[in-house]
Amino acid sequence: MASISSLGIGSGVLNSDLVDQLVAAERKPTDTRLTRQTQQNEALLSAYGKLRSAVTELRLPMRQLSSPDNLKAFSASSSNSDIGVSVDSTKASRGTYSVEVTSLASAQALASQAVFADRDSTSVGQGTLKLSVGDKITNVTIDSSNDSLQGLANAINESDAGVSAGVIDTGNGYQLVLSADETGTANSVSISVSGDSGGTNTDNEGLSRFAFNDTMDPGAGLQETIAANDAVMKVNGVEVTRSSNTFENVIDGLTFDATALGTSTVKVEQDLGAVADRVQGFVDKFNALQSTIDSLAGFNAESGTGSLLTGDSTVRNIQNQLRSILTRVVPGMENASIRSLADVGITTDWETGGLEFDRDKFEEQLKANPDDVTALFAEQGRASDGQVEFVRSGLDTEPGKYDINVTQAATRGQLVGGTALGNSFDITDTNDELALTVNGDITVNLALTQGTYADQQSMLDEIQAQLDSNNALNAAGVSVQAGVDGAGNLSFTSSSYGSESSVSLSSAENAATFGLDTNASTDGLDVAGTIDGRTAEGDGQVLFLSSDNGGASGLQVRILGDQTGDRGSINFIEGVGERTVDLVTSMVGAGGAFESRTDSLNRELDQIQESRTRLEERVAAYRERLVSQFSAADALISQLNSTRDYVTQQLAALAPQNNRNNN
């Protein structure tokens, strides 16, 4: 077969240019159609991408409004910049407070009275220092490897005892200085010595020169250069003490930071504007979505032309579902003073489809009906029993009223001594230490203040004070209450409820002092009962239903008190914010409307690509067939041309002979 480059040699007509023209003519209709379909689908994918982004933008402002805490914004101000105040809107309430700071917290500082000639070689004595800082006890060993002033300082710093050590050059020699890492009397430092190689443990020789406690002779051991002080503040005349200059949990939702002594007037007011700003944020995002829909799916009545997504069912469904949520009466609020967004100044402009926001009306309604406005946007559970609290809903929880019945109230873990607590106590270094384990993993070391306690109540007050200032408990957000039971035995009760709540005695120097030489520890119990007639699970005081439990699936309530039996009902209301978040998530998430539509378009693009492949195969076959046919025709024409030339030559040769014969 002739190559395509040799086509036309025989005919001069059936050449490669003609093949290319015929192939292009064959390709063009299908190629044009596939290109048009590709461009259309790619344009649709881009349009759906823009629409999806605009819909997704609704989720953040509505998620903020779906949280009850974000609808209770408060601001706080202080008339004195030295007494700062910050506010947690989830806990704060309106009020005005007179505040006076009378004392600032300070960390205890100590210095050695002994002066050393050098810091690196002079022996300080060998043995063990026992450092007690707050409820933390640390042993520091001094031996031949660190028997110097600097070695002692380094050993203390490496022990993480809650105190920092250093060596200063006074010009007349070197002294050891110590300072507690934390402020307040609860972090006061005491140091005792054992195994002193330079003398006895208390003779102010050798290592005992670094001992310290409140009862030591002024000339012995370390001297106190700065006393540990608590911060003291009066709020409306009531004195409050804290270990640091930050006062938390004095007034719900407020934290005070004192930097100097002085007085201040602190005002806490509801920040209606902050909540209105969040609502405005939602309105702006919704109107931006509407503008996007208009640009992608609008119809120009004057020109009679539509846009790319005009009449699109996905767009129509999005608009209908959002409009249904934003204009409806919220289920469960039919009889409330606030029933729909229109009642708080959010209305629809029926010409543009956008939202209009009357800020003044919203702030007025929020101030007058804060609970109903909260329920309008956020999820809320309204319990008929004052000791039943709504915690949260689940993804499958449906609005409605659900009955609650309690068969087992939650209890707290407790440790109780085996014998009655005495009436007077002499606390010395032989019985001043107790260690408890709380809730299974919190180690609580108590170092009681040594001295004589003349009655039971003063002993209980000291134990409670040590518990309240315990760093491990405070860090875990847990408290333990000390008291006596009906038999007069000492008891320790965890603040936590449920099966993970417990208190046990880890160790005691002399447990009999407190009637704890025999003791019993009882773990707490989780609440048990039913919600909507279905058996619920308990976690501490929280009663909840897992999935697949009807309309109440995922509902969680907190049961306070110890009453069992019928505990009334809870009316679950799903506000506009929560419902919108769920709707947007379902639209843009896996299996949603956008994924379904874009998957379909991508499948069509794949099919178009397959059609292009088949087109190329068909065109290639067509080209090959043309080349074959043209080659055969060209060969035939070439043969005919050769015959013609031969005949012409023969005729030309016969012509002279004929002429001679005629002559």
Side-chain angles (χ1 to χ4, degrees):
M1 179 181 295
S3 67
I4 192 167
S5 61
S6 65
L7 282 177
I9 293 177
S11 65
V13 175
L14 303 177
N15 53 28
S16 60
D17 288 341
L18 181 57
V19 170
D20 290 340
Q21 292 173 21
L22 291 172
V23 168
E26 178 71 17
R27 180 200 302 273
K28 186 174 181 179
T30 303
D31 184 66
T32 300
R33 175 175 56 81
L34 295 178
T35 298
R36 185 174 59 252
Q37 291 176 347
T38 299
Q39 293 172 343
Q40 175 76 3
N41 280 26
E42 289 176 345
L44 287 172
L45 283 171
S46 176
Y48 282 121
K50 293 178 182 178
L51 184 58
R52 184 181 188 278
S53 295
V55 171
T56 303
E57 288 292 316
L58 282 178
R59 186 158 50 182
L60 178 58
M62 288 310 270
R63 177 167 284 152
Q64 292 176 333
L65 291 173
S66 68
S67 169
D69 295 341
N70 287 329
L71 292 159
K72 300 176 182 178
F74 288 89
S75 61
S77 62
S78 171
S79 62
N80 185 343
S81 60
D82 291 331
I83 304 174
V85 61
S86 57
V87 62
D88 179 353
S89 292
T90 64
K91 300 177 181 177
S93 57
R94 288 191 294 266
T96 300
Y97 307 95
S98 175
V99 177
E100 179 183 7
V101 177
T102 59
S103 175
L104 292 176
S106 59
Q108 187 179 37
L110 307 173
S112 63
Q113 300 187 66
V115 179
F116 294 81
D118 64 75
R119 64 196 305 162
D120 295 316
S121 59
T122 302
S123 172
V124 295
Q126 298 181 21
T128 300
L129 290 176
K130 179 182 178 182
L131 284 77
S132 298
V133 182
D135 59 348
K136 188 174 185 178
I137 298 173
T138 307
N139 291 317
V140 178
T141 300
I142 305 301
D143 54 27
S144 59
S145 67
N146 54 10
D147 184 8
S148 67
L149 201 61
Q150 188 62 57
L152 173 59
N154 293 342
I156 292 173
N157 290 331
E158 292 168 0
S159 69
D160 190 28
V163 62
S164 299
V167 177
I168 62 173
D169 182 354
T170 66
N172 297 316
Y174 296 88
Q175 289 178 265
L176 180 76
V177 291
L178 300 174
S179 60
D181 292 341
E182 304 291 340
T183 58
T185 57
N187 296 300
S188 296
V189 181
S190 66
I191 305 173
S192 61
V193 177
S194 61
D196 188 355
S197 64
T200 68
N201 297 332
T202 58
D203 62 0
N204 204 32
E205 297 289 337
L207 204 58
S208 65
R209 289 173 291 180
F210 302 98
F212 177 81
N213 61 58
D214 293 337
T215 62
M216 291 183 64
D217 293 335
L222 300 174
Q223 64 176 340
E224 184 178 64
T225 55
I226 300 176
N229 285 317
D230 290 327
V232 180
M233 179 176 71
K234 292 182 179 179
V235 180
N236 289 351
V238 178
E239 190 170 273
V240 179
T241 302
R242 292 291 186 271
S243 294
S244 73
N245 292 317
T246 297
F247 292 80
E248 297 177 325
N249 303 319
V250 176
I251 299 171
D252 285 346
L254 296 185
T255 298
F256 300 93
D257 288 295
T259 58
L261 305 182
T263 60
S264 174
T265 298
V266 173
K267 292 184 178 181
V268 183
E269 298 175 315
Q270 190 172 13
D271 193 350
L272 302 176
V275 180
D277 286 344
R278 295 189 180 106
V279 175
Q280 184 67 62
F282 156 67
V283 171
D284 291 344
K285 292 298 184 182
F286 181 87
N287 289 340
L289 168 62
Q290 190 60 44
S291 296
T292 300
I293 290 176
D294 288 343
S295 67
L296 297 173
F299 180 80
N300 189 322
E302 294 182 0
S303 64
T305 58
S307 302
L308 185 62
L309 296 179
T310 299
D312 184 87
S313 61
T314 301
V315 176
R316 192 164 56 249
N317 288 337
I318 290 172
Q319 289 181 303
N320 290 340
Q321 291 180 71
L322 284 173
R323 189 177 294 117
S324 173
I325 292 174
L326 299 179
T327 59
R328 68 173 182 170
V329 172
V330 174
M333 299 188 68
E334 292 83 359
N335 299 318
S337 57
I338 302 294
R339 306 187 308 155
S340 68
L341 290 181
D343 294 331
V344 294
I346 304 173
T347 55
T348 301
D349 183 335
W350 296 108
E351 292 184 359
T352 65
L355 295 178
E356 296 179 340
F357 181 39
D358 186 338
R359 190 183 185 96
D360 291 337
K361 182 176 182 179
F362 176 81
E363 292 186 9
E364 178 185 339
Q365 292 287 14
L366 178 61
K367 185 175 183 179
N369 303 289
D371 194 50
D372 283 345
V373 174
T374 298
L376 178 67
F377 285 95
E379 66 173 18
Q380 190 180 76
R382 297 181 174 181
S384 60
D385 187 320
Q387 288 193 305
V388 175
E389 298 177 350
F390 170 73
V391 176
R392 57 161 295 176
S393 66
L395 291 175
D396 300 324
T397 309
E398 299 176 3
K401 183 179 290 186
Y402 303 102
D403 294 331
I404 298 171
N405 187 280
V406 175
T407 57
Q408 165 65 57
T411 61
R412 297 179 290 175
Q414 188 178 59
L415 169 70
V416 179
T419 56
L421 185 65
N423 292 315
S424 63
F425 306 86
D426 185 20
I427 302 301
T428 67
D429 59 1
T430 64
N431 61 358
D432 62 339
E433 294 181 7
L434 289 171
L436 306 174
T437 299
V438 178
N439 296 349
D441 59 359
I442 305 172
T443 299
V444 179
N445 294 312
L446 303 179
L448 303 177
T449 303
Q450 296 179 14
T452 299
Y453 296 84
D455 55 55
Q456 190 180 86
Q457 189 58 52
S458 62
M459 187 72 264
L460 286 174
D461 290 343
E462 168 61 15
I463 295 173
Q464 190 63 55
Q466 295 296 330
L467 288 169
D468 292 343
S469 62
N470 184 267
N471 291 332
L473 288 174
N474 292 332
V478 175
S479 63
V480 173
Q481 182 67 42
V484 291
D485 66 3
N489 299 347
L490 177 63
S491 66
F492 294 92
T493 306
S494 170
S495 62
S496 302
Y497 283 84
S499 56
E500 296 184 359
S501 174
S502 64
V503 183
S504 61
L505 181 67
S506 300
S507 64
E509 285 186 322
N510 188 344
T513 302
F514 309 100
L516 295 173
D517 45 334
T518 60
N519 59 80
S521 181
T522 304
D523 293 344
L525 296 174
D526 293 318
V527 66
T530 62
I531 299 176
D532 194 32
R534 300 170 184 264
T535 301
E537 300 176 57
D539 182 8
Q541 292 179 298
V542 176
L543 193 66
F544 65 95
L545 284 176
S546 57
S547 58
D548 299 326
N549 272 289
S553 295
L555 185 63
Q556 298 183 15
V557 294
R558 180 173 288 106
I559 309 297
L560 307 178
D562 57 4
Q563 179 185 348
T564 58
D566 182 10
R567 297 298 296 269
S569 62
I570 189 161
N571 184 22
F572 172 61
I573 301 171
E574 186 179 36
V576 171
E578 186 72 18
R579 186 70 189 92
T580 303
V581 169
D582 291 343
L583 174 61
V584 170
T585 300
S586 69
M587 286 179 176
V588 303
F594 285 102
E595 184 180 85
S596 175
R597 192 70 184 94
T598 56
D599 283 351
S600 175
L601 290 171
N602 282 318
R603 283 195 299 271
E604 289 180 15
L605 285 174
D606 290 340
Q607 292 170 358
I608 291 171
Q609 187 57 44
E610 292 174 1
S611 296
R612 282 194 178 279
T613 300
R614 290 194 297 272
L615 172 62
E616 293 303 322
E617 292 173 350
R618 180 165 61 83
V619 166
Y622 179 60
R623 177 183 290 275
E624 185 176 343
R625 188 166 64 254
L626 284 177
V627 170
S628 177
Q629 291 172 347
F630 278 22
S631 296
D634 205 41
L636 178 60
I637 291 172
S638 178
Q639 182 180 358
L640 292 173
N641 286 337
S642 296
T643 302
R644 179 199 64 193
D645 292 342
Y646 174 76
V647 171
T648 300
Q649 290 173 0
Q650 291 299 314
L651 291 173
L654 291 174
Q657 182 177 354
N658 291 334
N659 289 334
R660 287 194 298 269
N661 292 334
N662 292 332
N663 291 331

